Amino acid sequence: MTLPDFALARPDTLEEALALLGDDQVPYCGGTELLLAMKVGLQRPETLVDVKRVPELRGVRSSHGELVIGGASTHDDLSRDALVREVLPLLAEVEAHVGNARVRVQGSIGGNLCFAEPKSDVATTLIALDASVTLQSSSGRRTLLVRDFIVGPYYADKEPGELLIDVRIPLVATRRGAYVKFQVTERPTVGVAVVQDTETGACRVVVGAVGEIPVWRDWASVADIDVEELSSAVDPVEDLTGSERYKRHLTAVFVRRALRDLERSS
Amino acid sequence: MLAEAHLQRITARINGVEVTRTVAARLTLVELLREDLGLTGTKVSCELQVCGVCTVLVDGSPVSSCTYLAIDADGRDVQTVEGLADGEQLHPLQTAFVESMALQCGFCTPGFLMMSKALLDRVPDPSPEQIAKHLDGNICRCTGYEPIIRAVGCAARRLRGEADHE
Ligand SMILES: Cc1cc2nc3c(=O)[nH]c(=O)nc-3n(C[C@H](O)[C@H](O)[C@H](O)COP(=O)(O)OP(=O)(O)OC[C@H]3O[C@@H](n4cnc5c(N)ncnc54)[C@H](O)[C@@H]3O)c2cc1C
């Protein structure tokens, strides 16, 4: 499989990168999704605009009660980052189990969200953590919650001229969480994230990978969680990894396991 | 004829040797290695980043060279299976793979060796579980994996200077 011909731009600044983007001039980061889509002929952009050198998309910092993660950070970077491990060990753990070791080295958090692949661990976890994304184009900046950004399968709310600059996660000292997944191929069949504020008891459960987009619910306490309601609310996609009925069953099993892990977490 | 923006001049260190080439944007690292440089130890199979036979190390980290643009290796250090042995002296991982019968047809072996090297460079004393997890993106249809996990553990012990046991 040879890649079709294309031009590659490697801008060093955000302004340059934004000026280069267009309908047929698309962002390129790790290429773990984009290059595969191009190999099989699903996409044929004229120019790839490499975002890896843009400083605004790099690094992790905490600022004004939020963890700010540059969009080009790789899964491997995040799984080992000292700050992420300290303030959000749940995210570090999820990142350490994405795909395989090579996908983690090449693939970025921004590319993962922008591609909106349904079988993602990252979007599921970020929705549970109430994360948002910062998008920027030559004409301005906007922020939206990850749960609103992921609109459909392979469809994120992003204009061709926009770059995902960073992912922002509110830091809540009283938060605990768990993530469990079931996987027989290189991508998850089901992934469940549960996050609770231990002060108020309120919790959010997010089920990803079974359907086209993650499904989430908020409850006032763990005791209120209705596992049956959740497993009937998901809309499973039937494929080689299972039938609709099977995936509903798995959903219920994995929500229960996530709740068990939550109780064990500190 | 390719337009200017489709061609770029890159310099990378490949197994310690500085290589400068003008490459097309669409050229993958494995195409550069195999077709231009004749380094055919690195194999190609699934081309979907799933099987692991094309694994090489870029600045010490494992990547799928079938889906990694050669241009992204610009200014970086690339290690392939050809760079493992020191002259006639096999790398401890290679010796351990042979002794543990961790290969049969051998097609996946370069990928497993490079992937294992990436692990041992970071984690000198991995548990069998850590080894299995790290290698779960590499596929072998001959060995059943157990001998590979044993070989990596054995190489790790030797690299740490410990005597063999078992
Ligand atoms: C074998 C395999 C297994 C995988 N397993 C998992 C898994 O278990 N769990 C999981 O969650 N994911 C999994 N993935 C998906 C992986 O996480 C994503 O492929 C990766 O993170 C995408 O990032 P990238 O940098 O490679 O994106 P690219 O391929 O470079 O880009 C993807 C898309 O996003 C756009 N884009 C990239 N960066 C930006 C940006 N900053 N701003 C705007 N647009 C941008 C591109 O234009 C393109 O449309 C797997 C992938 C593979 C190949």
Side-chain angles (χ1 to χ4, degrees):
Chain A
M1 273 188 279
T2 311
L3 280 165
D5 193 30
F6 56 85
L8 181 74
R10 295 198 285 169
D12 290 309
T13 67
L14 183 57
E15 290 75 54
E16 270 179 89
L18 294 175
L20 286 162
L21 293 178
D23 284 339
D24 220 13
Q25 293 75 29
V26 306
Y28 157 73
C29 196
T32 60
E33 300 282 20
L34 183 58
L35 296 181
L36 297 186
M38 288 169 65
K39 276 188 185 177
V40 298
L42 288 172
Q43 287 190 41
R44 232 193 134 146
E46 185 221 295
T47 304
L48 302 192
V49 180
D50 187 355
V51 299
K52 290 192 286 290
R53 299 175 174 208
V54 176
E56 284 84 348
L57 272 69
R58 305 211 62 102
V60 177
R61 61 182 201 281
S62 95
S63 156
H64 301 100
E66 287 180 322
L67 186 70
V68 183
I69 299 173
S73 309
T74 67
H75 304 299
D76 187 55
D77 291 339
L78 296 174
S79 70
R80 294 190 292 139
D81 185 273
L83 182 60
V84 179
R85 296 193 72 87
E86 186 198 325
V87 299
L88 264 179
L90 173 66
L91 181 65
E93 217 23 56
V94 170
E95 292 288 10
H97 291 86
V98 164
N100 59 48
R102 297 177 307 278
V103 168
R104 292 194 288 275
V105 163
Q106 286 178 247
S108 64
I109 188 166
N112 183 294
L113 293 175
C114 290
F115 199 72
E117 149 78 49
K119 294 190 174 178
S120 167
D121 301 298
V122 179
T124 308
T125 310
L126 291 177
I127 292 172
L129 293 168
D130 220 20
S132 56
V133 292
T134 309
L135 301 169
Q136 187 164 344
S137 69
S138 315
S139 54
R141 224 170 222 253
R142 61 187 178 119
T143 303
L144 77 172
L145 290 169
V146 172
R147 66 177 193 242
D148 298 325
F149 183 61
I150 309 289
V151 191
Y154 309 101
Y155 177 37
D157 179 4
K158 182 180 81 72
E159 298 299 325
E162 282 182 320
L163 275 187
L164 189 158
I165 306 294
D166 55 46
V167 176
R168 289 169 184 251
I169 304 168
L171 290 173
V172 182
T174 53
R175 180 170 55 201
R176 61 176 186 167
Y179 182 79
V180 289
K181 64 172 165 176
F182 178 69
Q183 190 158 341
V184 284
T185 66
E186 61 281 353
R187 290 174 195 266
T189 303
V190 61
V192 178
V194 46
V195 169
Q196 182 185 37
D197 185 332
T198 51
E199 204 163 75
T200 64
C203 55
R204 175 174 294 172
V205 182
V206 189
V207 181
V210 267
E212 292 190 326
I213 54 171
V215 168
W216 57 276
R217 287 280 184 281
D218 284 329
W219 276 286
S221 75
V222 169
D224 292 324
I225 293 176
D226 186 344
V227 180
E228 295 313 317
E229 194 276 325
L230 200 50
S231 63
S232 53
V234 295
D235 189 8
V237 176
E238 300 207 329
D239 58 21
L240 282 177
T241 64
S243 65
E244 182 190 330
R245 196 168 140 245
Y246 171 73
K247 289 190 179 183
R248 276 193 207 289
H249 172 74
L250 269 189
T251 299
V253 171
F254 278 78
V255 170
R256 286 195 197 95
R257 289 190 189 174
L259 293 173
R260 179 201 63 196
D261 285 5
L262 181 76
E263 290 308 323
R264 288 181 189 160
S265 69
S266 46
Chain B
M1 188 58 199
L2 293 172
E4 192 92 354
H6 300 218
L7 295 174
Q8 281 182 39
R9 201 157 176 77
I10 61 162
T11 301
R13 278 183 83 76
I14 297 180
N15 296 330
V17 178
E18 199 164 286
V19 173
T20 299
R21 288 290 185 282
T22 299
V23 299
R26 72 168 181 208
L27 192 79
T28 60
L29 180 56
V30 77
E31 287 167 336
L32 176 73
L33 294 172
R34 289 181 57 91
E35 288 159 32
D36 187 336
L37 302 174
L39 295 170
T40 53
T42 305
K43 308 301 180 204
V44 181
S45 180
C46 77
E47 299 196 61
L48 295 168
Q49 313 209 345
V50 170
C51 76
V53 300
C54 70
T55 306
V56 303
L57 306 188
V58 175
D59 285 348
S61 292
V63 304
S64 298
S65 60
C66 73
T67 323
Y68 187 93
L69 298 185
I71 289 180
D72 277 336
D74 188 21
R76 295 180 188 271
D77 192 77
V78 179
Q79 262 185 297
T80 72
V81 71
E82 286 90 346
L84 266 189
D86 179 9
E88 292 290 291
Q89 187 72 39
L90 290 182
H91 186 276
L93 270 167
Q94 292 171 306
T95 312
F97 266 60
V98 172
E99 290 172 0
S100 308
M101 295 200 222
L103 65 148
Q104 189 179 318
C105 86
F107 189 76
C108 69
T109 311
F112 270 101
L113 288 169
M114 299 316 286
M115 204 65 175
S116 304
K117 177 157 197 309
L119 175 68
L120 299 189
D121 287 347
R122 240 192 228 180
V123 186
D125 190 6
S127 65
E129 292 71 30
Q130 277 176 302
I131 298 171
K133 178 183 176 274
H134 180 79
L135 296 176
D136 74 2
N138 288 61
I139 294 173
C140 172
R141 293 297 185 230
C142 300
T143 61
Y145 302 101
E146 291 294 331
I148 295 178
I149 293 166
R150 271 204 305 279
V152 177
C154 167
R157 281 193 297 280
R158 288 182 187 164
L159 282 163
R160 295 196 306 271
E162 288 169 26
D164 287 332
H165 54 80
E166 279 178 81

